[in-house]
Amino acid sequence: MTTAAIVGTGMIAGVHRRAVLLNGGTVAGVLGSRPERSEAVAAEWGASAFRSYEEVLESDVDVVHICSPNGTHHDYAIAALEAGKHVVCEKPLGMSVAEAERMADKARESGLVATVPFVYRFHPVVREIRARRIAGEFGEWNLLHGSYLQDWLLSPGAANWRVDPVAGGRSRAFADVGSHWCDLVEWVSGERLAELTAATSIAYPERPSGSVPAFDRSATDLPLAPVSTEDSALLLFRTERGVLGSATISQVAAGRKNRLWFELDGSLGSAAFDQEQPEQAWLGGERGAQIIVRDPAAPYPDSARLSSLPAGHAQGYAQCFESFVADTYAAIRGEKPEGLPTFADGLRSARIVEAVLASAESRRWETV
């Protein structure tokens, strides 16, 4: 049985906890930003409250799930690996490419399992699209395009620690969700971004300091702080094999809650996927198109493996996260599951984010 410590008490920490428990693991304890927060969440979860990160490292847990603000990721992950703990770390790995490089190097040198929750890889129909690509069904790619749109920061009164570059990093929308899009499209298509040009925009020059839920528009008494991290980004890129692509990223797109969408257009066929409709995918051909649905009976072993429910019984994000943790824990046991995103993938993401920021500033094409 795998024993875990969870560092962080926000929404995503709860998602990690659920996945640990559903995979037969035990959450030994939780560490929050303040002792009283640790105690409150520990009582809710039926776990222990860690008093410090040092106490986490001194415990006998097998794996540390790092779900705390981005600025803590580097130091926490390095310390955990040095203490002999496996690590699951939310992205971005670090606040810079240099930090991400140190983390990836440490993970490789340690021989421990260190993974990053690029969980959209675990949608069964995504696995099917990838399998069809590997089988040559789409031919050579002509164009890769899509978007990742959310609206949780649409209100000028909404704020979050991610807006603060000290806690969240120099990039917000792209590092937070654009990173998912790039990871998924590279992994499914088999292409790798080689160079890109990007532009970014900020919807509101100021937001309330601290954290304000998107639905709470009454918090008008909080002081305003300047916003320097982007709400939206546009990306035009060329892959190592010369395929063109584009992506639109936004956290202020009204009505879009979590819409990661991509279309991959090939010489023999196309494929499209929408994360808000995760049970199906669109396949296009010269003579027409069809909708395929998730089905554990489909002849694609990895897709079938991740179909935990019968066809017609909806799976979604939570099952993706469950499958990601399952494969992480399988790797801890010595297995080698297909498509498990590691710190090497987190480093790759950091390099793409850095190129996006550099291009937005220089207004030139930048090499990834």
Side-chain angles (χ1 to χ4, degrees), residues 174 196-200 233-236 355-366:
F174 195 85
L196 58 83
T197 184
T200 61
L234 294 178
L235 175 66
L236 180 66
V356 166
L357 292 178
S359 178
E361 182 176 349
S362 70
R363 299 190 176 187
R364 297 174 180 172
W365 284 81
E366 299 284 347

Side-chain angles (χ1 to χ4, degrees), residues 121 141 144 182 185-187 189-195 237-243 344-345 347-349 351-352 368:
R121 294 185 181 194
W141 297 124
L144 315 175
C182 291
V185 167
E186 283 197 334
W187 188 72
S189 70
E191 297 288 333
R192 285 174 66 86
L193 279 63
E195 57 180 346
F237 61 85
R238 183 178 288 108
T239 72
E240 292 174 352
R241 289 188 281 198
V243 180
D345 299 294
L347 172 57
R348 170 67 180 168
S349 176
R351 287 177 171 151
I352 294 174
V368 177

Side-chain angles (χ1 to χ4, degrees), residues 171-180 182 230 233 235 247 249 352-353 356:
S171 172
R172 175 172 26 98
F174 195 85
D176 188 20
V177 298
S179 58
H180 276 292
C182 291
E230 79 282 353
L235 175 66
I249 310 299
I352 294 174
V353 171
V356 166

Side-chain angles (χ1 to χ4, degrees), residues 39 72 75 80 85 89 95 101 112 140 160 163 172 182 210-211 219 234 264 266 280 292 304 358 368:
E39 293 285 353
T72 68
D75 291 352
K85 312 294 187 186
C89 184
M95 301 287 271
E101 286 176 341
L112 295 163
E140 298 296 322
N160 184 269
V163 178
R172 175 172 26 98
C182 291
S211 291
L234 294 178
L264 315 177
Q280 63 185 41
I292 61 171
V368 177

Side-chain angles (χ1 to χ4, degrees), residues 157 208-209 212 216-224:
S209 59
V212 181
D216 183 358
R217 302 180 183 226
S218 62
T220 58
D221 57 339
L222 292 174
L224 295 177

Side-chain angles (χ1 to χ4, degrees), residues 47 89 94 136 214 266 279 289 306 313 323-324 337 353 362:
C89 184
E279 287 284 86
L306 297 174
H313 298 72
S323 296
F324 159 72
V353 171
S362 70

Side-chain angles (χ1 to χ4, degrees), residues 246-333:
S246 65
T248 302
I249 310 299
S250 180
Q251 293 179 325
V252 291
R256 296 300 188 187
K257 302 306 177 184
N258 196 43
R259 188 176 189 257
L260 188 166
W261 173 84
F262 68 73
E263 182 172 325
L264 315 177
D265 298 329
S267 58
L268 300 179
S270 299
F273 172 75
D274 179 355
Q275 202 280 145
E276 288 189 339
Q277 303 292 330
E279 287 284 86
Q280 63 185 41
W282 177 92
L283 301 180
E286 192 171 7
R287 294 180 176 274
Q290 63 174 318
I291 301 295
I292 61 171
V293 298
R294 181 190 61 80
D295 189 342
Y300 304 96
D302 213 35
S303 175
R305 176 179 73 88
L306 297 174
S307 290
S308 57
L309 296 173
H313 298 72
Q315 287 185 210
Y317 176 83
Q319 283 75 31
C320 285
F321 217 102
E322 177 188 342
S323 296
F324 159 72
V325 171
D327 279 5
T328 296
Y329 288 7
I332 290 173
R333 295 192 300 271

